[in-house]
């Protein structure tokens, strides 16, 4: 032992001979009172204790006093002290990758505190603690709480076992804490300061074999510590934490870092920076009125700032391009020079006080994040005033020094007469402040700059404000900077206004409504206020437009809307004016008069600004300087067609409010307007008036009658007749108001309620005249008496399963078809009758006038309160078929309290002459409605409705046409049923009661039921999958050729609890069951519930869709329900064939999965009897199985939006795609899903644009791609449509569906936000996209045509050129032979890949199929189809589809496209050199070969890089393609261009070398190839990464290396810079070889082989191609992300890359090793095996995506856990894995003496029962004995 100064070391050369006592004595003798030690191998290093250590008990010879590290740190969390304490004592956190917390025991009731297990990750290590937390003192000192902290051992636990969240192969670090405390103190804004102090001891396992857990055999005194020789080197301090640590040495530092890491994790766990900022803001707002009084200096500062705004407003010029933006921007350049002043004015969707607080609070977390890159960012109060000293640094580009801005800022709050606030923030250089200045560290190396400015925040409404910002920044440049540069700086600074406005942007409709409401309130407050003098004159002139020569002069216009009446008239022109028409529009709007007026006045609302921009208007803004209380002035420049000038409108709008009436006048004014740029425009004139009058309130809905008159002159040379034709378009503003405030449902409900109430209260009191009674009797007899049930009625196919429809004819050959429909409606008799009787309800008008519906006129004239005349006109859209009109009288009558009749019959009326001057043909119609009250069902009223209708269209109409029309007419009853439908409530209530009974049912074991189920569920021979399959169901069908027997089974998950799902089936006659099954009848014949379970006899009748022998089928069955146990229910149905011809047997097993999900397994056997076709049997079976799919969809649609998970998104997608093979069907299905899915209805209400986006997206039509950057909550319908259109180009441009969806997400901000908020949406859209790609015309065609057609075209043109060579005779012989050789080689290599690599384990049949595909030339299209359809890697294949396609394309390039380019280039040069002519076909063939190579090369590189999986796995290699669409297009074009030019240059080089001497080609290609192969071999990189061993592996490696090298030489595929291929640096250098080589060759060959003209031609082409290549390479590297440029200079080998991925990557990256050749990872084989053994059983339970059967099959067998290989029990192998890999327990460490003893070398022992000489390591022996319980440590 030697001692050296303060750093003493103890060396034990004979450690193996020392006893524990001797070793301890020597240590005690060497240590003094104030020293500590650590162990390094056989050496103890002794250091003095830090004098700043906390007090430690150092009495006696206690080792703890000499070996303990002391650590203390402070931090804060964003939580109240009590809540933080509760979280520490109760939280369960399972994110073991970040932090893990589990309460092991809670002994607080007995005063023992809480025992908590903590775990967290630090680099690649896991740190574990087992602590007792005990609240020692709830301090009376405010919010102060003290918690005692102490590590404990497992023997102190009572019964609980410890969790093991970390892999047994993972290196672990254990911390022991003693005498620890956590001090909690409450801070402002709901935060807590915590100080953690403790004595720290640390232990670490260095080997995977070390044990983990707290077994009693590893008990260790907390007086000792084991310090590992390894440690964590990086420093780690808690976020913002202050720490004080004791001890020295590496181990002590590690303990400190680990303990401080807890502070980081606690901060992150409770991180609520946004919430704290919000609390600060609320507190600041609350105390605004308590702010210090403004000083004189501050008042002067604010006054100076306001003058700056006045000066800028009067002298500044508008920034070009901002006249139509939401932020107005101005620049002012002072005459005397100096900094440019910028000003921005914006409306912000935030309250004035909130925006003020957001700007003023410069020390918020948000501001700190905003300024995180600034070297200096400090905020300090100035002398207790309102003012602040705000100091911030700015880094300038280039060699400029950093600038330091030290500013003085203060604020003032002004309140106007309306009580609205205006906040002013004034900014000035700090040097103008006369008080104390705070010194700033680090400012001495910066140039002081100055800033002067002001923020003015004016309240508009409670939640919106107008923000004006003027700022002047002087950067103090030493020399004068150009004004343009200063202006640019100012513009950049103004851009912040856009960012802040966008940050707080809300839904435009919501914001516009708030502003309108505020203005409407002001109008109410100013009712009767007098106008100003000039305003009176404006109103007088505008009101003349309503008067004049009288109303008779107004001529009706054909209005584009049925809700607006339009008319036109001409006023005598004044002198100098043109004759311009005046238009008038009248309509009813569902709101108050003030709201309509406010809507008209808000000409620059968010919605109008957006539409103006979308329509391409050049300018649209308010002239704020001309604003008055009731007046606004606007400037607008509308875009006109390109051959006309844009039209400029400058006008003012003035409102006048009276009781029940508001007027808004519009008049053009003459003034100059600054648009920022000079616009080519012509001044247009307008004048108009809005007259808005209140109407009576209806059902709580305010209404007003709106009259709008307008006269405008577009000016210029546009003829007046053109202007007049635009009058209806100009008057369309009134339709805009109607749409804005539309409340159709409320108005209809109010009308319906009023009518139904009248019918209910007075229906039986009405006296009917003879004509009315006669009408009702005639109609009743016509239908009820004459057309009774019986022959003649033909059942129609009803679109609604709950509405029975029939039809008949009164006489043979008549077109007067009679239809009848019957249903039950969930409403009262009066509600049903009122809904139908109100023919002019808005809902019925919408149906009548819907697009494509053919509705023309519709009018109702009221005769009495119980009779009307109804006029209707329809155009059926048939050529040469005139529109039909009907004129009918309608009468309703209550027969008694429970029955109502409604009769409808033809009538005549002079007010409705036949044809009505519109060439209508008068048709005939008679109808009869009968409403009968039924008993309530589950609290819902029930009414039986019978509807008869006879329609005679006049003329001979074929019966099938009449049937179609009558079905359409009878659908009105279906609309009524759906309107009042309460099926969910009725069925749901019944199911709840049944589910309760099932839960109470006794468990019967279910052995017999299980046997019956398994017997029926067992697969039948000859089963097959249905062609129309539901992807989430495992469905099988089998049908016998004879006997009419069929079998089928299906299984899937249902989103319901087990009892709920069972209740669904047991409720046999429920509406849901009827709708899903489409049975025409479902009844329960007998019902019995007893001790043996549920029993009943049920019967159902199914309508056949076949003809011939296939009549309707009835099935009678005995149905049983049996609860086997708590998690399983059986439902059995046994058919009775004796009673009827058909029979079915059904078995259902329901298994509880948890989480509100149930596994549903269903099997059925159906007998239809003899004479039924094989196809009919299959159809019936599949139809029965599809009912189960319907059950799954039914429950999926009941899930709430807040409960949606990823699985629900996938299920929703399959619901959308079910039975929707075409775009039209998908759109129809989408409407159904959005209507009937609870979650989708909620989503559509939250995001009104969602339906528009999805409708366009699923149509699958190809559109132009245009990125949309609007926030999710602000998307308009037009933007939503564009987002939907963007999906298709993204999918089209990607071969991998997920990559296309990823690109769509990146391009469109709303989609990105939706994915972030709703995790289910991305998998949902991926599934939908796969279907779109499969069925869209462009999907397969794009991939087959573009991805494979070029190669097919290349093949065809090559064959054609080959034929030309053949015809060319002997002089073309060499070209012919070369072409044949290249084609043959291409096919041969592809066959070898197909047979020997990809499919060698797939069997002869599969190999034959793939060989045939290659021989027929369809390999490219087939590969493209597989990738496009989302096919995955099949088991026993070597490559996944995209890799197979890549390899196939590479072979094609290697053996066909590139050789073809060389051959054809040679032939062309030869012909040109000899003076021959070249055919167009030859040039075309060469062009196709070059483009094929370029396109394929670019596509492969692009697809590999943009694949999300690749980017996720290897983000440091994949990602060089930018995310922006336009840049991506440029990237693709550069990739294609580089490859195309390179292949042509290399071909020219080869041809020129060949003309000099053929051997030069051999030397060049062969020498280069040999150098490459030797280089690979020398670097140990020759073996290819594919897992093919032996000689075959060497042969494949040689082949692939040669092919890849050849392709890189010619095509330069950027993917091949990968370390698995040629490598980054080699690839980059290779790009320039053809240019350099061709230059050298052309320089050496003048006069050798070519004519002078030919040489000149070649030199010119070489220069052009060389320049093009350099330019494209330069462009490529210019747009590539800088961090990926290093991948082009990498020298990493495939083995190094594979090992790095495994060692540094996560589990997904590690798992990739199985696909790589073992040569590449042999050096880390031990680590690979340890990782597999440690994680195998966890993977078996967790089932990660990569842990597939194929992956497991590729794992070396010797690495798989033993018992799994040998067929042993799973549990035994798990136990064996625990014994082999468990680590040392937490809180129990071997002593220092043990650690020294265990380091003895060659400590071997002979295990019992082994032969002499067989030894194992001592540690292995100890572990084995511990497992037997023989040794206690």
């Amino acid at each position: 032992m030697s001692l050296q100064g303060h750093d003493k070391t103890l060396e034990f050369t004979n450690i193996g001979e020392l006893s524990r006592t001797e070793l301890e004595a020597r240590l005690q003798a060497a240590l003094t009172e104030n020293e500590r030690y650590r162990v390094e191998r056989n050496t103890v290093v002794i250091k003095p204790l830090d004098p700043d250590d906390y007090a430690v008990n150092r009495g006696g010879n206690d080792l703890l006093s000499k070996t303990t590290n002391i650590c203390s740190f402070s931090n804060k969390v964003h939580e109240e002290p009590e809540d933080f304490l509760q979280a520490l004592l109760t939280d369960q956190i399972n994110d073991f990758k970040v932090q893990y917390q589990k309460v092991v025991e809670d002994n607080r009731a007995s005063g023992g505190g809480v025992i908590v297990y903590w775990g967290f990750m630090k680099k690649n290590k896991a740190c574990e603690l087992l602590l007792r937390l005990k609240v020692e003192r709830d301090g009376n000192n405010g919010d102060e709480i003290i918690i005692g902290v102490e590590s404990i051992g497992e023997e102190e636990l009572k019964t609980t076992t410890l969790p093991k969240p970390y892999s047994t192969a993972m290196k672990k670090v254990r911390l022991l804490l003693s005498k620890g405390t956590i001090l909690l103190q409450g801070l402002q804004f709901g935060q807590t300061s915590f100080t953690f102090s403790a004595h720290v001891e640390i232990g670490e396992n260095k080997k995977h074999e070390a044990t983990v857990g707290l077994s009693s055999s590893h008990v260790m005194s907390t007086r000792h510590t084991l310090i590992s020789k390894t440690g964590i080197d990086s420093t780690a301090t808690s976020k913002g934490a202050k720490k004080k640590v004791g001890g020295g040495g590496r181990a002590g530092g590690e303990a400190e870092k680990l303990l401080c890491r807890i502070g980081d994790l606690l901060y992150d766990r409770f991180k609520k920076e946004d919430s704290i900022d919000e609390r600060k803001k609320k507190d600041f707002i609350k105390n605004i009125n308590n702010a210090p009084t403004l000083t004189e200096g501050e008042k002067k500062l604010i006054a100076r700032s306001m003058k700056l705004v006045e000066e800028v407003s009067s002298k500044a010029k508008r920034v070009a391009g901002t006249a139509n933006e939401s932020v107005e921007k101005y620049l002012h350049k002072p005459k005397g020079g100096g900094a440019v002043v910028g000003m921005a004015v914006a409306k912000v969707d935030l309250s004035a006080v909130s925006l003020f607080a957001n700007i003023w609070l410069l020390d918020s977390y948000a501001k700190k994040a905003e300024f995180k890159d600034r070297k200096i960012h400090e905020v300090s109060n100035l002398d207790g005033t309102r003012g602040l000293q705000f100091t911030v640094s700015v880094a300038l580009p280039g060699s400029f020094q950093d600038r330091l801005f030290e500013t003085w800022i203060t604020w003032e709050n002004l309140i106007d007469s309306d009580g609205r606030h205006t906040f002013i923030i004034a900014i000035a250089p700090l040097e103008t402040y006369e008080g104390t200045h705070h010194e700033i560290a680090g400012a001495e190396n910066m140039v002081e700059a100055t800033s002067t400015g002001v923020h003015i925040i004016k309240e508009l409404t409670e939640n919106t404000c107008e923000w004006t910002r003027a700022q002047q920044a002087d950067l103090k440049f030493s020399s004068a900077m150009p004004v343009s540069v200063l202006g640019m700086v100012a513009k950049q600074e103004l851009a912040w206004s856009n960012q802040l406005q966008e940050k707080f942007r809300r839904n435009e409709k919501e914001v516009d409504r708030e502003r309108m409401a505020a203005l409407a309130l002001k109008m109410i407050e100013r009712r009767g206020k007098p106008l100003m003098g000039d305003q009176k004159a404006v109103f007088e002139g505008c009101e003349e437009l309503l008067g004049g020569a009288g109303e008779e002069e107004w001529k009706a216009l054909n209005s584009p809307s049925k809700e607006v009446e339009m008319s036109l008239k001409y006023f005598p022109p004044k002198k100098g004016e043109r004759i311009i028409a005046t238009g008038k529009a009248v309509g009813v709007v569902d709101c108050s008069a003030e709201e309509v007026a406010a809507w008209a006045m808000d000409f620059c609302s968010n919605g109008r600004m957006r539409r103006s921009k979308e329509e391409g208007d050049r300018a649209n803004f308010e002239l704020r300087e001309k604003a008055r209380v009731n007046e606004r002035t606007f400037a607008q420049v509308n875009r006109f067609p390109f051959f006309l000038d844009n039209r400029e409108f400058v006008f003012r709008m003035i409102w006048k409010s009276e009781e029940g009436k508001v007027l808004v006048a519009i008049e053009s004014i003459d003034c100059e307007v600054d648009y920022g740029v000079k616009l080519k425009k012509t001044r247009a004139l307008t004048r108009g008036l809005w007259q808005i009058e209140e109407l009576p309130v209806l059902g709580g809905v305010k209404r007003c009658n709106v009259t709008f008159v307008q006269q405008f002159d577009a000016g210029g040379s546009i003829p007046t007749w053109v202007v007049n034709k635009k009058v209806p378009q100009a008057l369309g503003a009134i339709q805009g108001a109607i749409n804005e405030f539309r409340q159709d449902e409320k108005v209809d409900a109010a009308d319906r309620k009023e009518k139904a109430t009248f019918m209910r209260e007075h229906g039986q009191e009405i006296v009917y005249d003879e004509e009315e009674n006669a009408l009702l009797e005639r109609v009743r007899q016509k239908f009820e008496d004459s057309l009774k049930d019986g022959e003649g009625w033909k059942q129609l196919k009803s679109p609604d399963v709950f509405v029975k429809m029939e039809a008949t004819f009164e006489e043979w050959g008549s077109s007067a078809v009679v239809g009848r429909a019957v249903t039950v409606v969930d409403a009262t008799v009066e509600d049903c009758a009122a809904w139908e009787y109100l023919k002019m309800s808005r809902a019925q008008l919408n149906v009548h006038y819907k697009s494509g519906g053919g509705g023309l006129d519709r009018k109702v004239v009221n005769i009495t309160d119980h009779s009307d005349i109804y006029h209707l006109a329809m155009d059926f859209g048939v050529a040469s078929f005139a529109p039909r009109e009907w004129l009918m009288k309608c009468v309703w009558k209550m027969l008694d309290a429970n029955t109502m009749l409604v009769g409808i019959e033809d009538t005549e009326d002079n007010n409705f002459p036949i044809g009505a001057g519109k060439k209508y043909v008068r048709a005939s119609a008679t109808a009869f409605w009968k409403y009968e009250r039924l008993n309530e069902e589950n609290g819902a009223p029930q009414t039986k409705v019978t509807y008869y209708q006879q329609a005679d269209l006049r003329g001979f109409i074929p019966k099938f046409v009449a049937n179609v029309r009558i079905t359409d007419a009878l659908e009105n009853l279906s609309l009524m049923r759906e309107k009042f439908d309460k099926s969910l409530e009725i069925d749901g209530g019944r199911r709840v009661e049944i589910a309760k009974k099932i839960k109470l049912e006794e468990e019967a074991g279910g052995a017999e039921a299980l046997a019956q189920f398994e017997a029926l569920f067992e697969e039948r021979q000859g089963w097959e999958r249905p062609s129309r399959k539901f992807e989430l169901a495992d469905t099988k069908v089998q049908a016998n050729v004879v006997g009419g027997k069929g079998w089928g089974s299906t299984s899937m998950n249902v989103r319901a609890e087990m009892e709920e799902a069972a209740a669904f089936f047991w409720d046999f006659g429920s509406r849901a069951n009827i709708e899903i099954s489409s049975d025409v009848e479902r009844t329960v014949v007998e019902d019995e519930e007893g001790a043996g379970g549920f029993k009943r006899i049920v019967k159902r009748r199914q309508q056949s869709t076949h003809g011939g022998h296939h009549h309707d089928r009835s099935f009678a069955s005995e149905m049983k329900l049996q609860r086997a146990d708590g998690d399983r229910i059986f439902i059995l149905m046994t058919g009775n064939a004796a009673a009827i011809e058909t029979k079915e047997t059904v078995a259902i097993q329901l298994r509880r999965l948890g989480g509100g999900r149930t596994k549903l397994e269903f099997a059925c056997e159906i007998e239809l009897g003899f004479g039924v076709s094989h196809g009919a049997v299959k159809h019936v079976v599949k139809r029965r199985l599809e009912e189960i799919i319907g059950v799954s969809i039914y429950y999926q649609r009941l899930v709430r939006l807040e409960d949606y998970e990823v699985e629900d998104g996938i299920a929703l997608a399959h619901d959308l795609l079910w039975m929707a093979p075409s775009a039209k069907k998908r759109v129809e299905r989408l409407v159904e899903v959005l209507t009937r899915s609870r979650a989708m209805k909620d989503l559509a209400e939250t995001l009104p644009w969602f339906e528009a986006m999805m409708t366009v997206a699923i149509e699958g039509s190809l559109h132009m791609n245009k990125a949309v950057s609007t926030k999710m909550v602000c998307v308009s319908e037009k933007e939503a449509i564009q987002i939907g259109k963007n999906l298709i180009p993204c999918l089209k441009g990607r071969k991998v569906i997920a990559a296309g969806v990823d690109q769509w997400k990146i391009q469109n901000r709303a989609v990105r936000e939706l994915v972030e908020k709703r995790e289910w949406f991305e998998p949902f859209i991926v599934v939908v996209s796969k279907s779109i790609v499969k069925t869209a015309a462009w999907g397969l065609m794009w991939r087959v045509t573009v991805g494979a057609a070029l190669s097919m075209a290349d093949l065809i043109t090559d064959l054609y050129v080959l034929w030309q060579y053949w015809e060319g005779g002997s002089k073309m012989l060499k070209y012919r032979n070369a072409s044949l050789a290249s084609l043959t080689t291409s096919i041969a290599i592809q066959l070898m890949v197909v047979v020997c690599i990809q499919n060698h384990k797939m069997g002869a049949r599969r190999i034959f199929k793939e060989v045939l595909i290659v021989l027929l030339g369809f390999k490219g299209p087939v590969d493209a189809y597989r990738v496009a359809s989302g096919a995955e890697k099949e088991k026993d294949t070597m490559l996944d589809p995209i890799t197979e396609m890549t390899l196939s394309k590479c072979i094609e390039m290697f053996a066909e496209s590139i050789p073809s380019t060389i051959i054809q280039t040679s032939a062309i040069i030869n012909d040109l050199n000899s003076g021959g002519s070249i055919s167009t076909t030859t040039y075309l063939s060469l062009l196709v070969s070059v483009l094929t190579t370029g396109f394929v090369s670019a596509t492969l590189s692009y697809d590999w890089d943009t694949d999300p999986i690749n980017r996720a796995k290897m983000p440091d290699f994949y990602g060089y393609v930018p995310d922006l669409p336009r840049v991506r297009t440029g990237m693709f074009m550069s990739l294609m261009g580089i490859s195309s030019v390179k292949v042509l240059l290399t071909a020219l080089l080869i041809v020129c070398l060949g003309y000099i001497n053929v051997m030069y080609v051999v030397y060049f290609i062969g020498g280069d190839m040999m150098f490459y192969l030797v280089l690979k071999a020398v670097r140990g990189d020759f073996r290819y990464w594919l897992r093919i061993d032996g000689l075959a592996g060497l042969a494949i490696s040689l082949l692939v290396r040669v092919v890849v090298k050849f392709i890189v030489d010619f095509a330069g595929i950027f993917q091949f810079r990968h370390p698995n291929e040629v490598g980054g640096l080699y690839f980059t250098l290779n790009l320039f070889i053809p240019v350099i080589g061709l230059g050298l060759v052309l320089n050496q060959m003048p006069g050798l082989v070519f004519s002078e003209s030919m040489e000149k031609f070649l030199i010119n082409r070489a220069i052009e191609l060389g320049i093009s290549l350099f330019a494209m390479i330069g462009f490529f590297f210019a747009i590539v992300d800088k961090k990926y440029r290093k991948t082009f200079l990498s020298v990493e080998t495939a083995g190094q890359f594979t090992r790095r991925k495994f060692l540094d990557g996560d589990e997904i990256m590690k798992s990739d090793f199985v696909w790589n050749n073992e040569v590449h990872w042999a050096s880390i084989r031990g680590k690979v095996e340890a990782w597999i053994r440690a994680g195998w059983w966890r993977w078996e339970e967790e089932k990660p995506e990569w842990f597939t059967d194929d992956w497991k099959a590729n794992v070396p067998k010797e690495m798989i856990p033993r018992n799994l290989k040998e067929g042993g029990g799973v549990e035994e192998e798990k136990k064996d894995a625990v014994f082999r890999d468990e680590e040392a327990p937490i809180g129990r460490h071997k002593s220092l003496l043990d650690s020294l003893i265990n380091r003895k070398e060659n400590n071997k022992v002979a295990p019992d029962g082994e032969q002499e000489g067989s030894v194992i390591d001592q540690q292995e022996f100890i572990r084995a004995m511990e497992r037997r319980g023989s040794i206690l440590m």
Side-chain angles (χ1 to χ4, degrees), residues 647-719:
R647 262 29 186 199
E648 177 191 27
F649 292 87
V650 183
F651 57 95
R652 59 176 175 168
M653 300 180 72
I654 311 166
W655 58 264
K656 179 175 68 173
S657 178
E658 302 171 1
E659 188 68 38
K661 181 179 179 180
V662 181
L663 299 175
V664 179
I666 306 170
E667 182 189 53
S668 291
I669 63 172
D670 186 16
C671 71
E672 290 298 320
V673 180
D674 175 19
Y675 295 105
V677 292
K678 188 175 182 181
L679 296 173
K680 187 179 180 182
K681 60 188 185 323
T682 297
R683 179 65 65 92
L685 303 175
T686 185
R687 187 169 57 147
L689 181 71
W690 291 79
Q691 181 176 279
I692 311 158
E693 300 171 297
E694 296 278 4
L695 293 176
V697 175
L698 178 62
V701 178
K702 294 180 180 181
R703 299 182 302 155
C704 58
N705 191 72
V706 181
T707 302
F708 176 48
V709 290
Q710 186 176 34
Q711 182 184 74
F712 77 96
D713 183 358
S717 58
I718 299 179

Side-chain angles (χ1 to χ4, degrees), residues 156 225 345 578 692-693 798 1001 1328 1336 1557 1563 1654 1779 1832:
E156 298 182 52
T225 180
V345 182
R578 300 195 297 174
I692 311 158
E693 300 171 297
S798 173
E1001 176 70 9
V1328 172
N1557 190 324
Y1563 297 153
M1654 189 63 196
F1779 286 155
L1832 295 178

Side-chain angles (χ1 to χ4, degrees), residues 372-385:
K372 65 180 180 180
D373 296 328
R374 307 292 181 90
K375 295 178 182 178
I376 295 177
H377 170 232
E378 293 190 17
V379 183
S380 306
N381 180 262
L382 292 173
D383 298 325
T385 66

Side-chain angles (χ1 to χ4, degrees), residues 1571-1583 1601 1618-1626 1689-1697 1699 1719-1720:
F1571 171 78
Y1572 170 73
L1573 295 176
V1574 170
L1575 180 64
K1576 283 286 183 184
V1578 169
R1579 301 191 69 205
D1581 199 23
F1582 180 77
R1583 277 277 193 173
R1601 291 298 185 197
H1618 196 286
N1620 282 343
E1621 309 301 340
V1622 300
L1625 182 61
Y1626 192 95
L1689 302 174
S1690 171
V1691 293
E1692 192 174 36
T1693 65
Q1696 292 167 346
F1697 174 76
R1699 294 189 292 274
V1719 172
H1720 292 170

Side-chain angles (χ1 to χ4, degrees), residues 852-856 874-884 965:
L856 297 175
M874 297 283 292
D875 184 357
F876 298 110
V878 181
S880 304
F881 194 79
R884 264 47 177 180
R965 294 306 306 172

Side-chain angles (χ1 to χ4, degrees), residues 260-377:
C260 289
R261 173 66 176 152
I262 295 175
D264 291 341
L265 293 173
L266 289 173
Y267 181 88
D268 291 337
R269 178 170 154 194
F270 297 95
K271 184 178 179 180
K272 300 176 184 176
E273 293 180 349
D274 290 343
S275 299
I276 299 302
D277 281 352
E278 192 64 27
R279 292 171 192 170
K280 284 183 179 180
K281 186 175 72 173
K282 287 181 179 179
D283 182 74
F284 174 75
I285 292 171
K286 180 181 177 181
N287 292 289
I288 279 181
N289 295 331
N290 300 327
T293 305
L294 285 172
T295 65
E296 290 300 319
E298 288 175 326
K299 291 178 181 178
K300 291 177 182 179
L301 171 58
I302 291 171
R304 289 197 303 271
S305 299
M306 294 303 292
K307 287 182 180 178
L308 175 66
V309 174
E310 293 173 6
E311 180 183 1
V312 174
S313 299
S314 60
K315 299 179 181 179
K317 299 294 182 183
R318 186 182 295 271
V319 175
T322 64
N324 201 23
E325 284 192 359
S326 56
V327 178
E328 299 179 42
K329 298 175 185 175
Y330 303 88
L331 289 179
H332 172 52
K333 302 170 185 176
K335 290 184 178 180
V340 176
V341 185
M343 186 174 78
V345 182
K347 291 179 180 177
V348 182
D349 302 339
L350 190 68
S351 67
V353 67
S354 294
L355 180 60
F356 164 59
N358 272 281
I359 295 173
W360 178 259
L361 295 175
L362 296 167
D363 60 345
S364 65
Y365 284 108
K367 287 293 182 183
K368 290 174 183 176
E370 182 181 339
F371 293 104
K372 65 180 180 180
D373 296 328
R374 307 292 181 90
K375 295 178 182 178
I376 295 177
H377 170 232

